[in-house]
Amino acid sequence: MSAGRAPGKIILFGEHAVVYRRPAIAVPVLGVEVNAQIEILEAETTGQVWLESATVAVSGWIHDLKPGHPLATTLQLGLQALNITGFPSFRLRIRSSIPVASGLGSSAAVSVAIFRALNDHFKGDLTTQDINQMAYRIEKEYHGTPSGVDNTVIAYEQPVFFTMDADPEILRLSRPMHFVVADSGITSSTSEAVQGVRQRWEQEPSRYEALFDAIGQISREARGIMVGETRGSLGELMDRNHSLLQEIGVSSAVLDTLVNRARDAGARGAKLSGAGLGGNIIALTHGGEDQSIADALLQAGASRILHTVVYP
Ligand code: PMV
C-alpha cells in the first residue's frame, strides 16, 4: 500500500493582506492531518479509481463523479504530472482529522496528501516544490483568488514567511511557540470573506492599502522576533493584527469574544486566524497555562480546542 499525508496549518500573521502582496506567516499544525492511501484492486481492470472519503462524503468510481469534481481534477493533475497513462485500477482512501471550512487548511491538505500518495505509488520524483505548485493550481481552480499561503505551509510542513510570487522563506525559530486554537463553531467561506474585502477595498482603496501595509509591517516585525534577530512581543503583534482585521471587516462578535477571553485568561496575545467571519482564533501562550485558557474558551462557547506547539 502507498500513502501520503499532509498536516493542517494556522496563519499567525498577515491573512487577507497577503492577497494584496503583503507578507504573511503561517505554521503547520502537526496534530491534525489528511491521510491518503492507495491500494491496487486486484480484480479490476486497468485505469479505474475507486474513491473513498468520509470527509467529502464520496464513495464510488471517480468517473461517476460530476464533471469537474475537485477530487477528480486533483487526481488527473497528479497522474499527468507523473506521466501516467495506463495503470492497474486502485482504491484511493482519504481520511482527515482536519476540521473543514474553519481555517485549518483542509482543502490544501487533501491535495497535498493525494499528490504525495500518487508520487509514492508510482515511484515518482515530484519534489515538495512541484507538489506545492500543483496544490496551488487546485486551490486557484476551486477557491477563488488564493494567495497560496495555505498550500505552501502545508507542502513544506515548516513555518513560512510567505509573499505572493516570491520563494517562501522557511523560518528557523529561535524557540518553541505554544498555541491554543479555538474553533468558533461557525463555518466560514474563505472566498466570500475574500470577496467582501475586495468590494470594500474597491470602495476605499487608500484606506485599505494603508491597513494592508500596517499588517505587512506586523508580519515583518514578527519574522524578526521569531527567528531571534530582534526582540519584541509576538503577543502584542497578534493583538495589533487582530485590531487591523477588525478594521477590514472580517472579525465578528463571536470571534472578538473568544479573542478577549483568551487574553483575559492569560494568553500572550490572540487573534482570529484565516479568512475570519467564523473559523478559528489562535492564542499564543507561555505553554504552562494552556489548559486554563482552553477551559475559558470552551466556557465562552468554543466548539473545539486544539493545542499545538511549533518547535525550532
Ligand atoms: O481561511 P483560510 O485559513 O484558508 O485562510 C485564508 C487566508 C486569506 O489570506 C484570507 C486568503 C488567502 O488566500 O491567503
Side-chain angles (χ1 to χ4, degrees):
M1 188 173 56
S2 319
R5 45 165 298 283
K9 70 100 218 323
I10 45 176
I11 298 179
L12 302 192
F13 298 99
E15 50 272 270
H16 286 290
V18 69
V19 176
Y20 298 80
R21 296 187 150 64
R22 272 61 163 197
I25 297 179
V27 298
V29 175
L30 303 175
V32 288
E33 64 176 26
V34 172
N35 248 288
Q37 289 180 342
I38 294 180
E39 240 175 325
I40 292 193
L41 296 169
E42 302 295 350
E44 300 299 333
T45 53
T46 56
Q48 310 292 319
V49 180
W50 177 268
L51 187 67
E52 260 175 50
S53 166
T55 325
V56 278
V58 174
S59 180
W61 294 109
I62 203 115
H63 57 250
D64 289 337
L65 294 176
K66 67 175 186 336
H69 190 287
L71 290 177
T73 310
T74 306
L75 193 77
Q76 269 156 19
L77 180 60
L79 292 171
Q80 232 174 50
L82 289 160
N83 282 318
I84 305 298
T85 42
F87 54 88
S89 299
F90 62 81
R91 178 195 298 121
L92 172 63
R93 187 178 280 147
I94 299 161
R95 293 202 191 95
S96 175
S97 56
I98 306 180
V100 291
S102 63
L104 286 166
S106 115
S107 68
V110 168
S111 304
V112 169
I114 292 177
F115 293 139
R116 290 214 170 111
L118 288 170
N119 197 42
D120 184 32
H121 185 67
F122 292 107
K123 313 216 175 325
D125 53 10
L126 295 176
T127 62
T128 299
Q129 207 178 356
D130 297 331
I131 288 176
N132 183 28
Q133 279 164 5
M134 289 157 64
Y136 186 41
R137 273 180 65 179
I138 300 293
E139 292 284 287
K140 278 197 287 198
E141 192 148 340
Y142 294 101
H143 302 287
T145 53
S147 62
V149 63
D150 279 22
N151 46 278
T152 302
V153 63
I154 287 168
Y156 284 88
E157 297 188 70
Q158 305 265 9
V160 292
F161 181 79
F162 174 89
T163 312
M164 274 180 92
D165 303 326
D167 287 337
E169 180 192 348
I170 306 294
L171 298 180
R172 307 280 165 222
L173 301 191
S174 60
R175 61 183 62 162
M177 297 177 77
H178 298 256
F179 294 97
V180 173
V181 183
D183 194 335
S184 65
I186 300 163
T187 54
S188 82
S189 151
T190 299
S191 53
E192 271 170 37
V194 169
Q195 263 169 37
V197 173
R198 183 151 307 257
Q199 275 163 11
R200 295 191 287 281
W201 171 74
E202 278 164 2
Q203 281 157 13
E204 294 181 277
S206 47
R207 176 163 170 255
Y208 272 73
E209 285 295 322
L211 290 167
F212 296 148
D213 279 342
I215 294 176
Q217 191 48 34
I218 287 178
S219 294
R220 283 188 203 93
E221 275 179 50
R223 179 203 161 279
I225 299 169
M226 286 170 71
V227 299
E229 277 173 16
T230 49
R231 290 169 73 86
S233 162
L234 283 174
E236 210 178 289
L237 291 178
M238 285 173 65
D239 292 347
R240 269 170 46 203
N241 196 159
H242 184 73
S243 303
L244 290 161
L245 288 164
Q246 286 175 317
E247 282 195 60
I248 68 173
V250 294
S251 194
S252 70
V254 173
L255 294 174
D256 291 345
T257 301
L258 292 175
V259 162
N260 289 330
R261 202 55 84 83
R263 289 175 189 155
D264 292 346
R268 293 165 61 190
K271 62 183 276 293
L272 72 84
S273 176
L277 302 176
N280 285 292
I281 68 114
I282 55 173
L284 179 68
T285 76
H286 297 280
E289 75 287 53
D290 289 19
Q291 199 49 52
S292 54
I293 295 173
D295 290 344
L297 287 166
L298 284 169
Q299 242 174 30
S303 63
R304 177 181 18 222
I305 300 287
L306 274 171
H307 298 266
T308 188
V309 186
V310 192
Y311 290 100

